[in-house]
Amino acid sequence: MTEGWLIVRIAEKWPDSEDTFGLTLMSVDGSALPTFAAGDHIDVRIADGLVRQYSLFGSPRNLTQYRICVQRASPSRGGSAFIADNFRAGDLIRISRPRSCFLIAEDAAFHVLVAGGIGITPIIAMAEQLILDGKSFHLHYCCRSRARTPLLGLLEEERFTGRFDLHLSEGPSASRLDLDRLVAQSPPGSHIYVCGPHRLIEAACDAAKARGWDAARVHHEEFSPTPAAASGEAFRIRLARSGLELDVPPENSIAEVLHSNGVNVELSCEQGLCGTCAVKVLEGIPDHRDVYLNTTERASNATMHNAGVLLPFQDLDPSAGLLVTWNRSSIYYKLSASVIGGIDGEGCSARAPDDGAGIV
């Protein structure tokens, strides 16, 4: 749940590429906005229960404004289309404070920046910060065509000269990025940062792994969910405070079922990307299907995400249970159980009874 919303004014809305537009946001009274780091994003509250994340692409040293770039998705799940059709310069909107899990490695000898499409937004902020810090980097930007290249005009400004290459997949100047070659030719001690479609991130990770790079030198952020297998079984959940019991079919997430039954849970990407729906795991081992948690966080099983393309945890050991907290309520899940129970309160524990009934 996002708390402490900031009210800001849309100072400017401008057309960018063929399917993107930009927003400049300023505080209502003209005071400085909260600090942010390169790679940070903000939540934008679009309507009740509808929140979307957008990366900040301006210089982290300029706190008079935040700048975001929005790509109108086709088809849209409601966020980008609503902003495109309804947000206007002068409007007041609610946003969160900036946050991130996509940061620059301070100890890197060289920074290799790779972006695909709208994934350029956090990558540009990183480039701006590296310029300010006097650090070495090169930015590789993959897009379909110049007409569909977000923020191209910004990258063609003088400060990026010699530090930026555009790789197009269509048109007379088509030049696809060779990630294997890029990784092989990177200076010793380089780190690579990738943001964009899953296939681009996967290719970069594979190239780095093939060259023996430590996983800690590969940083990425996704704007689309990782494809997941459609396996799993239906199960039942019970909300401890209300006593409401709901069946979760294999094709739905817990969050979708809760929301469709009138349980007010705040969602954003609804794909396991942003972390808005993260909850604390008190017991059990979830099958993580998000792309927000890193390998270490997944291994700890401290948190899980309840909104995703598929059920965030499936194919659990039938003897295992999962107790999570959702907005101060506890929910206990057991795949083999026909009745699911829970208990209220923080720091509580739960056990599966010997008879396997699943009642806590």
Side-chain angles (χ1 to χ4, degrees):
M1 178 74 69
T2 301
E3 298 180 353
W5 292 100
L6 305 175
I7 299 177
V8 296
R9 177 174 56 86
I10 301 176
E12 183 183 9
K13 179 180 180 180
W14 75 94
D16 184 55
S17 69
E18 189 175 281
D19 57 356
T20 61
F21 57 92
L23 296 177
T24 300
L25 310 176
M26 303 182 71
S27 65
V28 176
D29 62 2
S31 61
L33 293 165
T35 59
F36 70 96
D40 279 10
H41 65 263
I42 57 172
D43 298 337
V44 176
R45 186 167 186 174
I46 299 168
D48 288 342
L50 185 60
V51 179
R52 292 291 182 265
Q53 275 78 37
Y54 295 99
S55 294
L56 302 174
F57 69 83
S59 169
R61 293 189 184 178
N62 182 5
L63 298 179
T64 64
Q65 61 183 23
Y66 290 159
R67 302 179 78 193
I68 62 174
C69 187
V70 180
Q71 182 176 50
R72 179 161 188 159
S74 181
S76 171
R77 292 182 296 115
S80 62
F82 189 93
I83 293 176
D85 296 339
N86 296 279
F87 280 23
R88 298 286 183 269
D91 288 352
L92 300 182
I93 62 172
R94 288 179 170 85
I95 65 170
S96 70
R97 292 176 178 272
R99 67 181 191 273
S100 178
C101 60
F102 190 41
L103 300 172
I104 295 173
E106 297 296 331
D107 59 344
F110 188 85
H111 304 267
V112 181
L113 309 180
V114 179
I118 196 62
I120 189 61
T121 48
I123 295 296
I124 280 188
M126 289 181 169
E128 297 274 19
Q129 185 64 61
L130 292 169
I131 290 173
L132 292 171
D133 293 343
K135 295 185 177 180
S136 299
F137 74 92
H138 200 87
L139 194 161
H140 299 267
Y141 190 8
C142 306
C143 285
R144 183 172 298 175
S145 64
R146 288 185 65 88
R148 300 186 65 181
T149 301
L151 304 178
L152 180 58
L154 179 61
L155 286 168
E156 290 179 334
E157 294 179 3
E158 185 177 356
R159 64 185 177 283
F160 292 107
T161 301
R163 295 169 161 171
F164 157 64
D165 287 322
L166 180 63
H167 304 269
L168 302 176
S169 59
E170 297 178 356
S173 58
S175 174
R176 290 181 178 270
L177 175 62
D178 186 337
L179 282 165
D180 291 328
R181 183 178 179 183
L182 175 63
V183 171
Q185 295 181 349
S186 295
S190 294
H191 282 232
I192 188 169
Y193 309 80
V194 193
C195 187
H198 175 72
R199 64 183 183 276
L200 176 66
I201 293 172
E202 186 176 45
C205 291
D206 288 347
K209 184 177 180 179
R211 291 287 172 177
W213 283 34
D214 188 282
R217 295 169 58 194
V218 182
H219 314 266
H220 59 83
E221 184 173 69
E222 302 208 30
F223 283 176
S224 59
T226 304
S231 61
E233 300 177 24
F235 62 97
R236 177 171 291 185
I237 63 174
R238 179 185 176 193
L239 280 67
R241 294 182 66 186
S242 66
L244 178 65
E245 294 187 11
L246 300 169
D247 291 318
V248 181
E251 67 272 14
N252 290 115
S253 69
I254 297 168
E256 289 172 333
V257 171
L258 291 172
H259 198 266
S260 65
N261 283 273
V263 180
N264 186 24
V265 293
E266 188 158 4
L267 304 177
S268 182
C269 72
E270 301 178 57
Q271 301 175 90
L273 299 171
C274 67
T276 299
C277 66
V279 292
K280 183 180 181 181
V281 175
L282 299 183
E283 186 175 310
I285 302 175
D287 178 6
H288 299 284
R289 298 201 175 189
D290 64 278
V291 296
Y292 181 82
L293 299 177
N294 60 35
T295 303
T296 301
E297 290 167 334
R298 288 186 175 199
S300 73
N301 289 315
T303 60
M304 61 164 281
H305 294 75
N306 289 284
V309 176
L310 298 172
L311 184 65
F313 54 99
Q314 295 178 335
D315 304 325
L316 290 176
D317 180 346
S319 66
L322 177 65
L323 178 67
V324 302
T325 59
W326 186 296
N327 297 344
R328 298 178 62 190
S329 296
S330 297
I331 309 171
Y332 179 69
Y333 306 91
K334 185 174 172 60
L335 292 184
S336 62
S338 59
V339 181
I340 308 300
I343 45 180
D344 289 331
E346 297 181 2
C348 60
S349 61
R351 62 180 179 84
D354 294 337
D355 61 7
I359 301 176
V360 179

